[in-house]
Amino acid sequence: MKIEKSRLGLVGIITSLVLILALLVGTVFYVFDRLRFQVIQSAELSLQKVIEDIEEVMQSTAIIPENVAWMVQEKKDQPDAMFGITSHIVENNEQIAGCAIAFIPDFYPRKGHYFSPYSYRDSLHQVRTIQMGNPSYDYFSMEWFANPYEQGRVCWSEPYFDEGGGEMPMTTCSVPVKNEKGEVYAITTADISLDALSSHLSSIVPYEGAMAFLLGKDGTFISHPDRFWILKKNLNDMAKEMGDERILSLGKKMLAGESGTALFQTKSGSHQFIVYAPLSTKWSVALVSPLNVVFSLLHKIYRIIWIFLIFIAFLIWMVVRYIRRTAGDKMRMESELNIASGIQDEMLAKNFPTEGPVDLYAALKPARETGGDLYDFYLKENKLHFAIGDVSGKGVPAALFMAITRSVIRFIAGLGLNPEQIVSRINHTFYATNSSSMFVTLFVGTMDLDSMEMSICNAGHNPILLMDPDEGPRYFKAHTNVAAGLVEDFPYQGETLTLKPGTRILLYTDGVTEAENNEKEQYGEQRLLDFAAAQPAALTAREWVGALMGSVKDFVGKAPQNDDITILLIKF
């Protein structure tokens, strides 16, 4: 009977462990899906920035002919002065390729039926001025003149090649000039070179190997990295070039004014990620990027997730073996936990900078084989990004949560957000997927090494210790925020400090200040402050951290370590 009960108990334990693993797999993949959504959202935001940049160019260009219109009215009785106006406008506005003042037929009888002073930049970037109208260049019937004349409002032309005028592919913004009766007697214009627009788009794409292009209302390329495609090819040609007919259905959506994302494959087998959206002119802009570039960080996290799922499955298998086997199996289990501890330790950043503007060192001593403390840092574009955290709980669950937290921090920080946005994203992710009610205290910071300006956000973590070279050590009490994963949509507040050269910053977990000796006395914040005040300024970050670890060890004595200890010191 006892044997049968034991078997039933074993089956129950195994079933519970399998259910826990299944729940963990579901939770992890839900987090991954949310991160994937954020990557796509980031790509859409990148396209939105491109759109805003294009719209800004077009809006600033539209202002030019509006300003010319009142200049025309001022010089209305001086037709020859119009040449000077167009020349002056082109010379002083690098963003435009040409400017015209086109008058209605026979407005100036002495000037003939056509009168349209036009200034433009030639291939040598020199400003040329001509009288553009003649029987072979009947501008009265051209879109850039006819539409604003008939409609009496500002109009953008569809892109065209201006043969006989600027001799280049362009699009034109036209503004009607009216007399006192509201009758249109002239059209002022500003031209944008499509070659220049393509070059501008190529300079602002956010991903390596990416390209941006514009489609006109008829599906013809207005802008493309290859200038020979402009006004000559359309999406049919692109589908043939890429070898993927799905581009044609994508083109229909773009021409319909829709926005979205899509995947397609080139003839060479590379996968491309495309995000597209309409402009106010009813053109459509698209950003095409290599899939492996856009999702590079996500793929790294994906691999880490699989490693840890395998790791957890392996631990579960070891637990089952522990239940069924003898004390010898327990030793093998402890060996595997040591391996897990090594894996966890290898995930922590170890490339400590010792030269240049930053001297940094960190140490982590878990209370068990695996722990829930974490730290991270990296240098990018002369900015130091750093973080420290303490996961609730102990052992393997805390270690797993720590690993996921560290990966999520590294991924979200790579999106270019400030510390309070990073903490808010982490809190949102963990609250939505945290079925085990775990949380993590965090202190996240970004230091601009040029301006010495530091942005920080404290999510329920210990206060940092600032060691000003002139004023001595002091605790900096940041805004009070709750730990990440506890409160949905909590309004995290950050702050910004300007530091002096030579300042040291100490970040630590509560394993330092709450370390206890055999009399249950804690190390405490005051003892830590006194220790910091006694340290020589010449100590390196490594020596400083080693000295603090030694101080805590001497204080605790033979008492068992009851919490993970993590120390991160930065000297600027």
Side-chain angles (χ1 to χ4, degrees):
M1 188 67 179
K2 290 183 179 180
I3 296 175
E4 187 64 27
K5 287 183 178 180
S6 298
R7 289 177 179 175
L8 290 174
L10 180 59
V11 170
I13 291 173
I14 294 175
T15 302
S16 299
L17 291 174
V18 170
L19 290 175
I20 290 172
L21 179 61
L23 179 62
L24 180 61
V25 170
T27 302
V28 167
F29 276 96
Y30 177 78
V31 172
F32 179 79
D33 186 66
R34 295 300 301 171
L35 293 176
R36 178 179 176 276
F37 171 76
Q38 289 180 357
V39 170
I40 295 175
Q41 195 174 50
S42 176
E44 292 173 342
L45 289 175
S46 296
L47 179 67
Q48 187 59 39
K49 291 179 181 178
V50 172
I51 291 174
E52 290 172 359
D53 198 272
I54 296 172
E55 297 282 11
E56 182 179 353
V57 169
M58 300 186 75
Q59 289 172 9
S60 61
T61 300
I63 293 173
I64 294 172
E66 292 177 356
N67 291 335
V68 173
W70 68 260
M71 297 171 70
V72 171
Q73 293 177 339
E74 290 274 330
K75 304 287 186 179
K76 184 178 179 181
D77 298 328
Q78 305 174 45
D80 289 332
M82 305 302 164
F83 292 98
I85 292 174
T86 59
S87 177
H88 174 78
I89 291 297
V90 175
E91 288 174 353
N92 289 277
N93 292 275
E94 288 289 331
Q95 71 195 70
I96 65 172
C99 174
I101 305 173
F103 290 87
I104 62 176
D106 301 311
F107 186 75
Y108 294 112
R110 288 182 302 169
K111 296 295 183 181
H113 187 63
Y114 301 93
F115 185 62
S116 178
Y118 179 63
S119 296
Y120 66 98
R121 286 187 176 84
D122 62 14
S123 59
L124 299 177
H125 213 63
Q126 300 294 317
V127 177
R128 306 290 183 188
T129 302
I130 60 174
Q131 201 298 104
M132 187 166 55
N134 54 63
S136 62
Y137 191 85
D138 182 20
Y139 63 79
F140 304 126
S141 61
M142 295 182 177
E143 180 188 358
W144 63 263
F145 184 94
N147 283 358
Y149 178 77
E150 295 170 359
Q151 299 174 25
R153 61 179 179 83
V154 178
C155 294
W156 279 92
S157 73
E158 277 298 289
Y160 63 100
F161 187 88
D162 191 30
E163 187 174 357
E167 299 295 338
M168 68 181 76
M170 62 174 64
T171 183
T172 299
C173 180
S174 304
V175 175
V177 185
K178 302 178 182 179
N179 59 22
E180 295 81 1
K181 297 179 181 180
E183 299 169 333
V184 177
Y185 66 87
I187 302 295
T188 62
T189 72
D191 303 325
I192 295 179
S193 164
L194 298 186
D195 287 338
L197 184 59
S198 296
S199 298
H200 180 67
L201 284 179
S202 297
S203 69
I204 61 175
V205 292
Y207 302 111
E208 182 180 352
M211 75 168 186
F213 63 80
L214 283 171
L215 285 183
K217 296 177 184 177
D218 60 354
T220 302
F221 285 99
I222 299 173
S223 169
H224 193 279
D226 187 345
R227 64 187 302 271
F228 295 104
W229 282 52
I230 299 174
L231 299 184
K232 297 178 182 178
K233 294 191 176 185
N234 54 35
L235 283 174
N236 288 325
D237 300 300
M238 186 175 181
K240 294 177 182 178
E241 183 84 11
M242 296 294 186
D244 194 331
E245 294 298 322
R246 288 177 294 181
I247 294 176
L248 297 179
S249 61
L250 170 66
K252 292 179 181 179
K253 294 179 181 180
M254 294 178 67
L255 296 180
E258 297 181 18
S259 60
T261 60
L263 291 173
F264 63 89
Q265 187 174 5
T266 65
K267 287 182 178 179
S268 63
S270 66
H271 291 84
Q272 302 291 314
F273 178 75
I274 184 168
V275 56
Y276 57 92
L279 294 173
S280 60
T281 56
K282 297 184 179 180
W283 303 339
S284 187
V285 61
L287 181 63
V288 183
S289 310
L291 185 66
N292 61 333
V293 173
V294 178
F295 288 91
S296 59
L297 285 175
L298 196 60
H299 289 158
K300 291 179 182 177
I301 293 176
Y302 186 73
R303 287 193 291 270
I304 292 172
I305 287 173
W306 269 112
I307 290 172
F308 269 91
L309 285 177
I310 294 172
F311 171 66
I312 293 301
F314 180 70
L315 286 181
I316 290 175
W317 176 70
M318 290 300 296
V319 168
V320 174
R321 284 173 58 88
Y322 175 79
I323 295 172
R324 299 177 61 183
R325 291 177 177 261
T326 61
D329 292 322
K330 180 179 178 181
M331 295 178 61
R332 285 193 289 271
M333 183 65 171
E334 291 174 349
S335 174
E336 297 298 336
L337 286 174
N338 288 333
I339 294 174
S341 176
I343 294 173
Q344 187 180 27
D345 183 65
E346 288 176 2
M347 290 189 64
L348 297 171
K350 295 290 173 54
N351 54 331
F352 302 112
T354 57
E355 298 179 357
V358 177
D359 180 17
L360 182 151
Y361 189 76
L364 190 156
K365 184 181 179 184
R368 302 181 184 178
E369 290 86 355
T370 56
D373 279 9
L374 65 105
Y375 70 84
D376 197 15
F377 64 88
Y378 66 96
L379 280 164
K380 183 179 181 181
E381 297 177 353
N382 216 31
K383 290 185 178 180
L384 176 67
H385 304 269
F386 57 92
I388 192 169
D390 186 357
V391 173
S392 63
K394 298 287 187 296
V396 172
L400 176 62
F401 203 83
M402 165 267 181
I404 294 176
T405 301
R406 188 261 185 191
S407 300
V408 171
I409 289 175
R410 181 64 72 99
F411 171 73
I412 294 178
L415 300 178
L417 306 177
N418 61 39
E420 67 180 84
Q421 291 171 326
I422 292 171
V423 174
S424 295
R425 289 282 186 93
I426 293 170
N427 179 65
H428 177 77
T429 300
F430 285 168
Y431 186 87
T433 60
N434 186 6
S435 60
S436 57
S437 300
M438 297 185 73
F439 60 89
V440 57
T441 66
L442 286 172
F443 192 102
V444 180
T446 298
M447 180 68 178
D448 189 322
L449 300 177
D450 292 324
S451 64
M452 292 296 290
E453 188 173 85
M454 182 175 70
S455 301
I456 59 174
C457 183
N458 189 336
H461 201 74
N462 302 80
I464 62 172
L465 193 61
L466 289 178
M467 289 167 275
D468 188 289
D470 300 325
E471 301 176 6
R474 64 183 175 88
Y475 286 105
F476 180 78
K477 305 290 185 179
H479 284 298
T480 302
N481 298 304
V482 301
L486 284 178
V487 180
E488 185 178 14
D489 297 328
F490 183 87
Y492 287 92
Q493 291 185 338
E495 46 219 305
T496 301
L497 307 173
T498 300
L499 305 181
K500 299 176 184 178
T503 299
R504 288 178 293 187
I505 302 173
L506 176 67
L507 296 89
Y508 57 95
T509 58
D510 57 13
V512 174
T513 52
E514 295 180 7
E516 293 182 346
N517 57 23
N518 285 325
E519 287 72 39
K520 299 299 180 181
E521 180 186 8
Q522 293 187 346
Y523 190 86
E525 291 186 353
Q526 185 58 49
R527 184 175 278 102
L528 178 59
L529 190 65
D530 295 340
F531 170 86
Q535 302 312 301
L539 285 183
T540 65
R542 181 186 290 269
E543 291 169 342
W544 209 102
V545 171
L548 179 55
M549 277 290 194
S551 175
V552 174
K553 181 179 179 181
D554 292 341
F555 172 79
V556 171
K558 296 182 179 181
Q561 181 180 339
N562 56 14
D563 200 358
D564 303 333
I565 296 176
T566 302
I567 303 170
L568 173 62
L569 185 85
I570 311 171
K571 181 178 180 181
F572 299 102

